[in-house]
Amino acid sequence: MRDTYLERFPDPWKEFERMSRLLSRIASNSGKEFPPVNVWVNGDNAVVTTEIPGVDRDKIDISVSGNTVTLRGSRPASDIKEGESCHRHELRHGNFSKTIELPFNIDANQVHAVYKKGVLYISLPRVESDKPKKIEIKSE
Amino acid sequence: MTDKRELQKREAELEKGVERTRETRVYAPAVDIIEKNNDIVILADMPGVDENSVDITLEKDLLTIYGKVEPEIPENHRLVVSEYEIGDYQRTFTLSDEIDREHIRATVKDGVLKLVLPKAERAKTKKIPVTGNA
């Protein structure tokens, strides 16, 4: 006879709570750094999105290590020559670097990133060896 | 980026008595305005906008830019960390008579709108030669 309780293991609600706790801690740390990010999760995949308009695609650097992903980039200041003047200067220029911690280890070989219309989308799957495993209990 | 500038987008102001018809937030894009010898250049950060989703209207002295953003939400994913919000962009500028309104050019690249407002012929900086003898 199959045990329905064991089939539900690992408890998805506990897993959800664990992720929420981790993510809320992450959010409180990173919220003050540029660029602001949104993080989307679906089971074993996370998507990080961020708005970094005006950055050359070749100047965006994404590196993954364990459960963290680091974004680096730079945006040159508006070109102002001698004799020209800047009436408004609100755009954000210069270098940025931000590290985002995920609730699981990332499979660096499967990371996909797309930069379009000034928005960066990074898809970060969980590494296979890090996924929770269901242990089969055999009867003798 | 060492400056402590506000990370959040600023909501666009609405004129009194005017209401929006689209159920979305509208932000005032950050801009750089640079005066060159022959043009005035406006650069506006509008991430999520491309050349097909920006409207530029000129009515009397008012130049309005409106960028419509269709949010791209990862399918079947749940938002767990939200540090920024997505919405449209709108900002209005007053133009002086010194702009050649017929030749305003606009381009969008990597979410940045670039408006080039050529100065009317008479407004261009003229170098007045100074001669030695009166």
Side-chain angles (χ1 to χ4, degrees):
Chain A
M1 210 179 80
R2 297 170 78 174
D3 190 327
T4 52
Y5 176 75
L6 277 179
E7 268 195 337
R8 280 191 283 130
F9 189 83
D11 187 340
W13 180 249
K14 280 231 173 93
E15 179 73 3
F16 169 75
E17 277 197 327
R18 190 184 70 91
M19 279 210 189
S20 298
R21 262 203 317 277
L22 270 163
L23 287 161
S24 58
R25 197 193 72 208
I26 295 161
S28 62
N29 291 341
S30 80
K32 294 166 194 105
E33 284 175 353
F34 183 87
V37 297
N38 285 349
V39 181
W40 304 76
V41 169
N42 172 17
D44 293 326
N45 193 68
V47 177
V48 172
T49 64
T50 185
E51 298 182 331
I52 43 170
V55 175
D56 192 343
R57 199 175 58 181
D58 301 332
K59 297 270 162 56
I60 304 172
D61 181 82
I62 302 163
S63 55
V64 167
S65 170
N67 68 333
T68 63
V69 53
T70 301
L71 304 177
R72 284 191 197 88
S74 68
R75 180 181 190 180
S78 298
D79 191 21
I80 297 165
K81 298 184 184 72
E82 217 183 301
E84 299 175 353
S85 52
C86 194
H87 298 311
R88 286 285 168 91
H89 185 68
E90 300 169 356
L91 302 191
R92 183 179 281 275
H93 300 290
N95 299 320
F96 59 86
S97 170
K98 177 159 175 162
T99 298
I100 302 130
E101 205 182 336
L102 293 186
F104 52 73
N105 285 328
I106 302 154
D107 187 348
N109 296 319
Q110 303 294 323
V111 173
H112 289 283
V114 177
Y115 180 63
K116 59 173 178 183
K117 303 183 202 173
V119 185
L120 181 66
Y121 304 82
I122 315 166
S123 173
L124 305 137
R126 186 174 194 168
V127 72
E128 198 62 37
S129 61
D130 192 45
K131 289 182 185 171
K133 283 195 181 60
K134 190 181 144 189
I135 312 295
E136 294 273 345
I137 300 173
K138 290 174 185 146
S139 56
E140 282 191 285
Chain B
M1 309 252 172
T2 46
D3 61 330
K4 295 273 182 268
R5 212 172 306 182
E6 186 61 48
L7 288 181
Q8 295 305 314
K9 292 188 265 193
R10 187 163 61 86
E11 285 209 47
E13 282 166 30
L14 264 183
E15 279 175 66
K16 216 178 166 188
V18 178
E19 288 180 47
R20 300 201 188 282
T21 51
R22 232 163 84 84
E23 189 67 34
T24 182
R25 283 177 190 273
V26 181
Y27 298 99
V31 297
D32 274 6
I33 302 178
I34 301 151
E35 182 166 355
K36 296 181 182 280
N37 292 337
N38 298 325
D39 312 291
I40 290 174
V41 176
I42 301 178
L43 297 166
D45 272 1
M46 302 166 96
V49 168
D50 64 13
E51 60 278 12
N52 302 315
S53 55
V54 65
D55 266 325
I56 299 154
T57 52
L58 179 59
E59 200 189 339
K60 289 178 188 160
D61 286 348
L62 298 179
L63 178 80
T64 299
I65 56 178
Y66 194 96
K68 196 169 158 186
V69 175
E70 295 295 344
E72 292 199 32
I73 289 160
E75 237 175 87
N76 300 322
H77 282 58
R78 200 164 42 87
L79 182 64
V80 290
V81 175
S82 174
E83 293 179 356
Y84 71 91
E85 290 190 70
I86 301 167
D88 291 350
Y89 300 95
Q90 184 182 357
R91 194 154 169 178
T92 300
F93 304 93
T94 328
L95 292 190
S96 70
D97 291 339
E98 300 183 343
I99 299 297
D100 176 1
R101 293 159 187 237
E102 300 301 313
H103 295 98
I104 295 174
R105 300 189 302 276
T107 49
V108 183
K109 189 181 179 242
D110 294 335
V112 183
L113 170 71
K114 181 180 184 181
L115 279 173
V116 179
L117 317 172
K119 290 185 191 172
E121 207 50 48
R122 60 191 167 80
K124 287 183 186 169
T125 326
K126 282 200 187 76
K127 263 216 157 117
I128 313 291
V130 182
T131 51
N133 302 317

